[in-house]
Amino acid sequence: AKIEYNYHTMMQAFVSPAFRRTVVGKSSSLLQRRSPTTVVRSFASIYHADMEDLSHEETSSPSSTSSSSSSCAHSLLILGKPGGGKGTISGKILSDFPQFRHVSTGDQLRQHVRNETKLGLEAKKYMDEGCLVPDNVMIKMVMKDAVEAIKNGQSLLLDGFPRTMEQAVALDEQLDVDMVINLCIPNETIIERISDRWIHPASGRVYNYSYKPPKVTGMDDETGEPLVQRDDDKPESVLKRLNKYEKATRPLVQYYEEKGVIQTFRGTQSDVIYPEVQEWLGEQLAEDDVEANTI
């Protein structure tokens, strides 16, 4: 009964109205996509293979599960340049749309390594050698949170992965990303924002001349000691990172544009951009609720 219930909730997640909008009617891409049943079976195989690694088992019956599981679950990806306000926008989304569960691969990776889990030990081998953690390991980490979230009727807010088209294609083997928010902030704005950041090395206190300047220019408020600028925060270093990001994510943006699931938001201030994000996301969720209730 437990397996049947998990299969049922996963099917709700993947065979959503958003998934149907993405696949049905797009004959050119349909042949390249797996059927919903195939996706769910693939997901289920990951679920059962990694069951022993889950921190706790689901003990509730279908009748005791939150009513939110009757709604369509979603996988929302947020893209944004480093220093472009992605963290701020993500926090606002989680506050206004509590059905989403934040899946930050950076946080996950640190937690798995710290707790010395099976995945953490595997990832640490690559990290100790100065290598990037392979995509398949990162996907397993994402799927662990995904399994638990979907069982609880939650949607996912993916932050930090995928970063490249190759990672997106690999993730699509297990999870259907049906909504993507792309934050497009001018490079000049980000360079100015980050290059205004100075720190007090001994304490780690951070100042920013744009919105949180020190009382005395160049000096720490508490100790009076000199502030320094990290090499990574210098304009030339910031521009180099931004160019690298754009080169890696341009194909990723095109990939999701072809799927018809991405929306780009442009601006220079998170407080101005977010109302547009909030309106768009609310419309997507409301539309899916209406379609789900008519099926």
Side-chain angles (χ1 to χ4, degrees):
K2 180 178 178 181
I3 294 176
E4 291 177 356
Y5 167 58
N6 287 326
Y7 184 90
H8 173 67
T9 55
M10 286 187 287
M11 182 65 88
Q12 283 183 319
F14 289 107
V15 192
S16 65
F19 182 86
R20 290 195 300 275
R21 288 200 307 271
T22 302
V23 178
V24 177
K26 295 188 177 182
S27 58
S28 61
S29 61
L30 180 60
L31 296 177
Q32 301 174 6
R33 302 297 303 276
R34 284 170 165 73
S35 69
T37 302
T38 302
V39 174
V40 172
R41 285 174 179 168
S42 179
F43 183 91
S45 67
I46 291 286
Y47 169 78
H48 292 299
D50 288 340
M51 177 63 75
E52 68 274 14
D53 293 330
L54 294 177
S55 58
H56 64 275
E57 292 189 356
E58 177 69 35
T59 56
S60 62
S61 64
S63 59
S64 64
T65 302
S66 169
S67 60
S68 62
S69 64
S70 61
S71 301
C72 294
H74 298 274
S75 295
L76 168 65
L77 169 64
I78 183 165
L79 298 174
K81 301 172 185 177
K86 184 161 58 72
T88 300
I89 298 295
S90 294
K92 291 178 180 292
I93 290 174
L94 294 170
S95 176
D96 290 339
F97 300 93
Q99 65 266 47
F100 282 96
R101 174 168 176 164
H102 192 212
V103 180
S104 170
T105 50
D107 292 343
Q108 282 184 312
L109 182 58
R110 287 186 288 271
Q111 182 177 353
H112 276 280
V113 171
R114 184 170 57 250
N115 295 339
E116 297 185 340
T117 65
K118 180 179 177 182
L119 284 175
L121 293 175
E122 185 177 358
K124 191 173 185 298
K125 290 189 302 182
Y126 296 97
M127 296 167 66
D128 289 344
E129 295 174 359
C131 301
L132 293 175
V133 178
D135 292 348
N136 67 311
V137 176
M138 297 304 297
I139 289 174
K140 287 180 182 179
M141 289 187 184
V142 171
M143 296 308 293
K144 281 203 172 293
D145 261 15
V147 168
E148 184 176 345
I150 289 175
K151 287 195 299 178
N152 292 331
Q154 294 176 291
S155 293
L156 305 175
L157 173 56
L158 302 174
D159 180 359
F161 190 92
R163 292 178 181 269
T164 67
M165 189 179 71
E166 291 77 13
Q167 292 174 348
V169 172
L171 182 62
D172 266 358
E173 296 287 336
Q174 310 297 339
L175 185 69
D176 186 67
V177 175
D178 60 347
M179 292 186 291
V180 180
I181 291 172
N182 181 37
L183 302 177
C184 187
I185 314 299
N187 285 353
E188 295 77 11
T189 300
I190 296 175
I191 291 173
E192 180 180 357
R193 185 182 300 169
I194 295 179
S195 61
D196 276 348
R197 185 166 59 195
W198 290 70
I199 66 170
H200 177 240
S203 66
R205 280 186 287 275
V206 179
Y207 299 89
N208 193 296
Y209 285 100
S210 298
Y211 58 87
K212 187 186 175 184
K215 296 175 182 177
V216 178
T217 301
M219 299 296 178
D220 177 51
D221 287 350
E222 296 189 17
T223 67
E225 295 173 345
L227 302 177
V228 301
Q229 187 177 46
R230 298 187 314 170
D231 288 341
D232 283 351
D233 290 343
K234 295 179 179 179
E236 58 272 19
S237 298
V238 176
L239 181 59
K240 187 179 297 185
R241 291 206 309 274
L242 292 175
N243 289 337
K244 184 177 180 180
Y245 172 87
E246 290 180 354
K247 182 178 179 180
T249 58
R250 190 177 299 114
L252 180 63
V253 170
Q254 294 174 348
Y255 176 73
Y256 286 121
E257 284 177 345
E258 291 175 0
K259 291 179 64 176
V261 297
I262 192 170
Q263 182 72 20
T264 295
F265 299 90
R266 305 178 187 277
T268 60
Q269 298 179 19
S270 297
D271 289 343
V272 176
I273 294 174
Y274 179 67
E276 299 177 10
V277 173
Q278 183 184 34
E279 180 180 6
W280 175 79
L281 184 55
E283 289 175 352
Q284 302 304 303
L285 298 175
E287 181 179 342
D288 285 349
D289 285 343
V290 170
E291 291 186 20
N293 291 332
T294 60
I295 296 176

